[in-house]
Amino acid sequence: MKEYVIDANNMDEKELNRTIKEQAVFHDKLIIDNPDSRHNICAGLTEDVSIEINGSVGYFVGTMVNEPKIHIKGNAGWFAGDNMTEGELIIEGTAGDGAGQGIYGGTVIVKGSTGSRTGEIMKGGTVIIGGNSGFMTGLLMMGGRLIILGDVTDDVGESIMRGTIYVLGDVKSLGKNAAMEKATLDDQKELKEILTEYGFEIADEDYVNFKKIVTIQ
């Protein structure tokens, strides 16, 4: 595997992203040191490349990407993975509002908690949150699968049109057009497969506790 290390220290956002795109053509893996919470890292990246970011990042990490696998060993700001079409974004820490906003495909994973409007207007793909999520989670959701392992606050699934939200913890309230039911055995099997794949450890007997939130028929 061809690796390349990028030291982001003293680089502005434009220089950093230009370097990422140039080196992604020639390498299988890029390692980014000293990201220092810069915004828009990996924006618009379309190479099938592995990106390891050693530290926290700012807004719009992985926005509008197609194919890369991005692993952040820290926290992220608002709108992580915004409008991803294909690929993978894993955040080891927490993320701000709008994680997974508008994604068409791929997978966005936040191991910790997120702010509000997680999975807002997502059209496809999968978003997994290992902790809690804030208000209007799944706002205007049009497709895909949103999985929350912790609690969710107010107005979950507000104006949801399609797609499914699964919550293992407590749901404070549902939004307009949202209905809650129990996860089926098929749902539980599907959840176990993907959660096990990404290293989430949940006891077999707990899968029955998942709530399933969908649009009112």
Side-chain angles (χ1 to χ4, degrees):
M1 175 180 286
K2 294 182 179 179
E3 294 186 4
Y4 187 86
V5 178
I6 299 172
D7 187 348
N9 194 32
N10 298 321
M11 285 186 177
D12 62 23
E13 293 172 13
K14 289 184 178 179
E15 182 182 2
L16 175 56
N17 273 331
R18 183 170 59 249
T19 302
I20 291 170
K21 289 178 180 178
E22 289 172 351
Q23 298 303 325
V25 176
F26 303 106
H27 298 87
D28 303 307
K29 181 177 182 179
L30 303 180
I31 299 170
I32 302 173
D33 292 331
N34 301 308
D36 296 336
S37 297
R38 287 174 176 80
H39 304 315
N40 306 307
I41 295 177
C42 298
L45 186 61
T46 58
E47 297 292 334
D48 184 6
V49 60
S50 176
I51 308 280
E52 181 179 298
I53 302 176
N54 292 319
S56 294
V57 299
Y59 298 167
F60 288 102
V61 62
T63 182
M64 296 183 289
V65 299
N66 183 61
E67 293 294 342
K69 292 179 173 60
I70 304 168
H71 190 172
I72 299 167
K73 297 185 175 180
N75 304 316
W78 288 17
F79 306 118
D82 163 74
N83 275 286
M84 172 190 290
T85 53
E86 195 58 59
E88 182 180 272
L89 174 62
I90 299 176
I91 300 164
E92 291 291 338
T94 60
D97 293 355
Q101 173 185 260
I103 67 170
Y104 292 85
T107 306
V108 174
I109 295 173
V110 181
K111 296 291 184 72
S113 296
T114 56
S116 64
R117 303 190 305 277
T118 303
E120 177 181 11
I121 61 172
M122 63 184 289
K123 291 96 174 171
T126 298
V127 176
I128 302 174
I129 309 302
N132 303 324
S133 184
F135 70 89
M136 287 192 179
T137 290
L139 171 66
L140 289 166
M141 192 171 172
M142 302 179 191
R145 175 176 56 179
L146 176 53
I147 305 167
I148 312 292
L149 300 187
D151 301 330
V152 188
T153 60
D154 301 280
D155 300 329
V156 180
E158 172 68 29
S159 300
I160 185 173
M161 290 172 263
R162 288 183 297 277
T164 309
I165 304 168
Y166 297 99
V167 181
L168 182 57
D170 294 329
V171 174
K172 187 173 181 181
S173 69
L174 296 178
K176 295 186 295 294
N177 211 46
M180 184 162 61
E181 55 194 48
K182 290 184 178 180
T184 66
L185 290 175
D186 286 341
D187 292 328
Q188 294 171 39
K189 180 181 178 181
E190 182 180 305
L191 288 166
K192 184 174 181 180
E193 287 176 356
I194 191 165
L195 291 173
T196 301
E197 177 184 352
Y198 284 103
F200 290 99
E201 297 181 0
I202 297 174
D204 288 346
E205 60 269 22
D206 287 338
Y207 280 92
V208 71
N209 296 320
F210 270 101
K211 276 76 73 177
K212 180 179 182 179
I213 299 168
V214 295
T215 186
I216 293 174
Q217 299 299 321

